[in-house]
Amino acid sequence: MYGPTILARTLSSTTRRDRYGNHWQYHSRSDHHSKVACWGVVFDLLATTPLLRRHVDAGVVCFGINHEMRDFVHDRKKNLDLVLCTPSGIATDETLSSITRGYEIELTQTEQAVLNDLPRLVRAPVGSVIMALEAKACMTAHQRALPRLYDELNSSHLTVHGASEQAIAVGFTMVNVSSRYLSPDLNKKNRATDPEWSQHKQPRDAQIAVDKIKQLPRRSKVGDVGYDALSIVVVDMPNDGAPVRLINDPPAPQSGEIYHYDTMIARLSGIYATRFKDLA
């Protein structure tokens, strides 16, 4: 699977600029990291799911960005980072491949070759949502950030399934295990002259975040409550310009565990192949 590696490589570049002229790898007020994470999920899913490739090639599946879903039961609404869907109108010129430039996604030659071999997934007005993706990160102040992180993630699957029981709700989470962090909120005019570092007690802080994410409800069949698939990716990211490192040791989920990224993609591929086999 390529998604987490692509995310780490892309976030290693300081592409987010604030109004003080600082350039950041990660900024909490930017959705760049979420968009790149969701792009990687769709990329891996398309590469590993023959039925999805056939549907994309036939033009019956497209994608939407920042799509608003409204829960029919409770009339709540939420914008989802990225959705796979049936089209409800004429497709745009945007494709999964073309948005790599806008997202400043950095691909290796191998990854680019894989992308070039995939069918052309286009952006179009959203009809019926097939899969809705939500990506969130816990980078600093882990314990204080957890209630909001949990609530935002929990409201996502509730809204998705309140709008469509058949839709696949996907959660992607990124947790920072770095022992120190340069926060954009604490380092505005003072970053260059007097940077203020946030200190973390690791791996305890990251473990607390991972354990909280694992409390999110999950479902095994249509009609249940929870995410259809959920992954946790752990990174070491001080946000100071140093390359982002993917962490494979605990507290990161281990290979074969249900929260491991590869397990999530395999699960999504299987769900898609059974739930949408009659899509035409």
Side-chain angles (χ1 to χ4, degrees):
M1 301 300 169
Y2 298 103
T5 302
I6 292 171
L7 178 63
R9 184 188 310 120
T10 299
L11 293 185
S12 292
S13 297
T14 53
T15 60
R16 304 300 97 191
R17 187 179 187 275
D18 65 21
R19 64 190 183 96
Y20 300 99
N22 300 308
H23 287 81
W24 300 97
Q25 297 161 278
Y26 173 93
H27 198 297
S28 60
R29 286 164 178 68
S30 168
D31 63 357
H32 178 243
H33 57 285
S34 299
K35 294 292 189 292
V36 176
C38 291
W39 187 95
V41 171
V42 172
F43 174 64
D44 281 331
L45 187 62
L46 192 55
T48 56
T49 312
L51 180 62
L52 177 58
R53 289 199 298 275
R54 291 199 295 272
H55 286 163
V56 169
D57 199 36
V60 297
V61 172
C62 60
F63 74 90
I65 297 172
N66 289 333
H67 174 65
E68 180 184 285
M69 292 194 75
R70 187 178 291 272
D71 180 345
F72 177 77
V73 178
H74 299 100
D75 197 25
R76 59 189 161 204
K77 59 184 179 180
K78 187 174 182 64
N79 286 343
L80 278 301
D81 293 318
L82 192 149
V83 299
L84 293 179
C85 56
T86 60
S88 68
I90 299 173
T92 69
D93 292 331
E94 283 188 287
T95 66
L96 187 69
S97 179
S98 71
I99 63 175
T100 59
R101 293 187 291 273
Y103 291 174
E104 300 179 89
I105 294 174
E106 299 182 19
L107 301 177
T108 64
Q109 289 184 343
T110 299
E111 293 160 353
Q112 186 64 55
V114 173
L115 180 60
N116 293 342
D117 286 340
L118 296 177
R120 190 171 180 267
L121 178 60
V122 299
R123 184 178 182 181
V126 177
S128 297
V129 172
I130 295 169
M131 182 180 298
L133 295 93
E134 179 84 311
K136 295 294 180 185
C138 184
M139 303 301 290
T140 189
H142 296 69
Q143 197 157 4
R144 189 169 70 247
L146 287 183
R148 180 178 178 180
L149 176 71
Y150 184 92
D151 288 347
E152 289 181 346
L153 286 165
N154 198 47
S155 67
S156 178
H157 72 81
L158 290 170
T159 303
V160 169
H161 293 142
S164 172
E165 273 289 328
Q166 292 292 325
I168 303 170
V170 185
F172 177 100
T173 58
M174 179 172 68
V175 175
N176 190 13
V177 76
S178 177
S179 60
R180 65 176 193 163
Y181 181 77
L182 206 58
S183 167
D185 288 334
L186 300 178
N187 294 273
K188 298 173 181 176
K189 295 181 180 180
N190 61 310
R191 176 178 177 176
T193 57
D194 186 25
E196 181 176 344
W197 287 94
S198 300
Q199 303 294 330
H200 304 148
K201 294 182 179 179
Q202 300 291 12
R204 188 204 70 169
D205 288 353
Q207 185 68 64
I208 289 172
V210 168
D211 290 343
K212 186 65 177 181
I213 293 166
K214 288 181 177 181
Q215 293 176 15
L216 286 162
R218 304 171 303 280
R219 70 175 193 171
S220 61
K221 64 181 184 297
V222 174
D224 287 350
V225 175
Y227 276 102
D228 293 277
L230 178 65
S231 68
I232 303 169
V233 170
V234 177
V235 298
D236 185 337
M237 184 180 182
N239 207 27
D240 62 350
V244 178
R245 292 194 306 117
L246 282 176
I247 303 301
N248 296 316
D249 296 327
Q254 300 301 287
S255 179
E257 294 182 0
I258 63 174
Y259 301 100
H260 193 275
Y261 180 85
D262 291 5
T263 304
M264 181 189 75
I265 295 296
R267 178 172 174 78
L268 289 176
S269 183
I271 292 173
Y272 187 93
T274 55
R275 197 174 298 178
F276 296 101
K277 61 182 182 299
D278 297 324
L279 185 66

